[in-house]
Amino acid sequence: MKIIVCIKQVPPSGGIVVDETDRVQIRSGGVLNPCDARALAVAVMIKKRLGGKITALSMGALSAESTLRQTLAIGADEGVLLSDKAFRGADVCVTAYTLAQAVTKLGGADLILCGQQTTDGDTAQTPFSLAARLNIPAVGFVKAIEFTGETPIFIQELSGASAAVEARFPMVAAIGLSAAAPLAASLKERLDAAKKPLKIWGLSDMPDSDGSNYGLIASPTRVIKISRISTEQKNPPITEPPADTAERILKAVRAVVGGR
Amino acid sequence: MEIIAFDKDKYAGYLRDESGLTGRADFIAFPRDGAELSEALAFAAKNAVGATVQGARTGLFGAAVPRGGLVISTEKLTRVYGACQGADGGYTLRVQSGVTLKEINDYLRGERRLFGGERYAFAPNPTEANATVGGMLVRDAIGLNALRSGRFSEHVSSLTVVKGDGSTIGYATAKELLSDKRAGADRGEIFAVLDAELRLTKKDSVFWGVFYFFDGKKTAEEFIGGLLSRRAARGFLRDALAALVWFDGEVLRRVSERRLADSSLQGLPEFPADARAAVYAELSGDDGAALESELCVHAELFEKIGGADTWAETGEDEIQKFRAVCHAAVEVAGRPKENDGDGSAYGYADKDGNIVFPS
């Protein structure tokens, strides 16, 4: 079983910094995207059951190497970082193209696992765009994994229901937060991760090395404005006795539904 | 500046702090500068009502809970004046007393915020990012990294105190304020910290955080003793070991219960099922290879005394999730007198290697 896990280094909570000239995020360190941590945990679970090799694949600034090392400590066997100025500012469509190029260079995979969404871009579209680029099926919003014999079954979250989707390889699966608990590396694993192979590929390493097909210039979408949202607590903490609170809630409900 | 009659509905949050205690108040004021702060203090003195100066109300001991009179909130004293270099070549950052630890860290982490080409940081880390400078100063807060950095007051080079008569007093150090009688605290006079000059330290480039889990308190204490002995014997480790934190099984259990409700804890798996105690060690410096060698020695010591599970992470951003566990522990541990009697359910090692409860 050849598994590729797409991972992304994202800014820590509240730490998004944007270059005001082209509205592209400035990348300078960060953490493993939470859904990607679950995707890696699912990959480790499947590898334990079916055997194989896990490659962690990321696109980003060189600072993302530390996050790739983290995935090597947790269970990936090798890491590949796509880092080149030419890749900067890619939207979903071009990010998927770049990842697809790397998957092709890696010789393809049976299963490509992605986090459902990232905490910085939050589009939740890259896994499906990647599947389209590779012309393979995708299952999204995976909330749990089960096995029928040696076949993984992806339990997909639907509106008010769930679907059990049998894996037919090759395929892409987009993993949600509840699919698996994140894993922590032991001290020994973390120290040994430095010895595992990690490749850094630039534009010239891609099967398609035409720079005009990558990054901001190739992206069909543009960010035109980024606004910071400030929140203000409107409701003060409740300090009254619980019976008074219950009475007030009852009154509020009655005001809406009448005396029923 | 308006001295506002206290409206219990509108300002209910100002009657409490993280201690869970609730007080009462008659007035509230939100000064923005020294003149307004003095005006608020003068009002309290003239009308012979007590005054409670509040920061972010994150304290665990009820110091911000008013007992009637005037609440003076420092939440609008939020100016960061900027950094400067002293005669000794070191850098300081002057801020008003309502500035929070998070705001200081955000300022120092800002893009291109370099001092002589280097990154600088404010060392004390009481883990409560919303704590204000004024609050941490008057409590002389002790933080996660007390082992290396000691108390808050050790990182303040000067500060300004305002009194109700409009006068201001400058102090060279926070320690001087805490022991000085000029502010009038010993005579029941009211004063408040207006601003402070914080001493910055050169920022480390390599960070490691490691959780060590144990099957009992005794082995955890043996491990801490081993690390502290090694620290005492070696110059390098004295500098590299920034934090040493101890948790008992009950605190681990309570933190675990909190995981679902606290998003900062959700990036971690469950604690090992058989863990009855844990030690968190944080190392940082600029020599990554030396830190890794030191960690190998820690791992050997851990194995030797029969430890089993560890969690390890490197990188300042990634270890934040471990620091979040330490912060959650402070909040769930209870006061020393409420736990097992010796205050040892949870604690930080201080500069002398004593385990102390955070404040």
Side-chain angles (χ1 to χ4, degrees), chain A residues 115-174:
Chain A
Q116 177 63 50
Q117 61 206 86
T118 59
T119 53
D120 56 353
D122 228 359
T123 64
Q125 293 176 41
T126 304
F128 311 103
S129 191
L130 174 60
R133 289 284 188 185
L134 293 167
N135 199 26
I136 59 176
V139 57
F141 303 96
V142 173
K143 65 174 185 179
I145 312 292
E146 294 171 0
F147 286 87
T148 301
E150 298 302 293
T151 305
I153 306 292
F154 295 101
I155 309 300
Q156 186 181 26
E157 177 92 62
L158 302 173
S159 299
S162 54
V165 180
E166 186 180 302
R168 293 280 175 87
F169 306 124
M171 66 174 289
V172 173

Side-chain angles (χ1 to χ4, degrees), chain B residues 139-208:
Chain B
R139 283 220 53 83
D140 199 10
I142 192 161
L144 177 73
N145 52 0
L147 185 65
R148 182 197 278 174
S149 301
R151 287 190 170 269
F152 189 88
S153 58
E154 295 172 51
H155 302 268
V156 179
S157 59
S158 70
L159 56 98
T160 311
V161 162
V162 173
K163 292 180 66 176
D165 62 5
S167 63
T168 58
I169 309 174
Y171 289 95
T173 65
K175 280 181 184 169
E176 199 182 313
L177 164 67
L178 296 170
S179 59
D180 184 55
K181 292 184 176 178
R182 281 182 297 160
D186 59 323
R187 301 183 296 278
E189 290 180 27
I190 308 165
F191 68 92
V193 177
L194 172 63
D195 57 36
E197 191 101 29
L198 308 176
R199 196 174 291 122
L200 305 178
T201 51
K202 191 176 159 300
K203 192 176 171 75
D204 290 331
S205 55
V206 183
F207 293 81
W208 278 87

Side-chain angles (χ1 to χ4, degrees), chain A residues 48-113:
Chain A
K48 270 186 189 162
R49 184 104 177 195
L50 305 179
K53 178 181 176 185
I54 300 172
T55 302
L57 173 63
S58 185
M59 181 173 120
L62 288 172
S63 64
E65 183 179 338
S66 62
T67 299
L68 268 176
R69 289 274 172 219
Q70 184 190 359
T71 65
L72 294 175
I74 293 170
D77 299 294
E78 65 170 5
V80 176
L81 173 61
L82 311 177
S83 191
D84 195 300
K85 279 184 181 169
F87 302 155
R88 180 179 174 274
D91 67 359
V92 168
C93 183
V94 173
T95 297
Y97 180 72
T98 313
L99 292 172
Q101 285 288 305
V103 170
T104 303
K105 186 175 166 80
L106 284 164
D110 299 306
L111 176 61
I112 299 172
L113 296 170

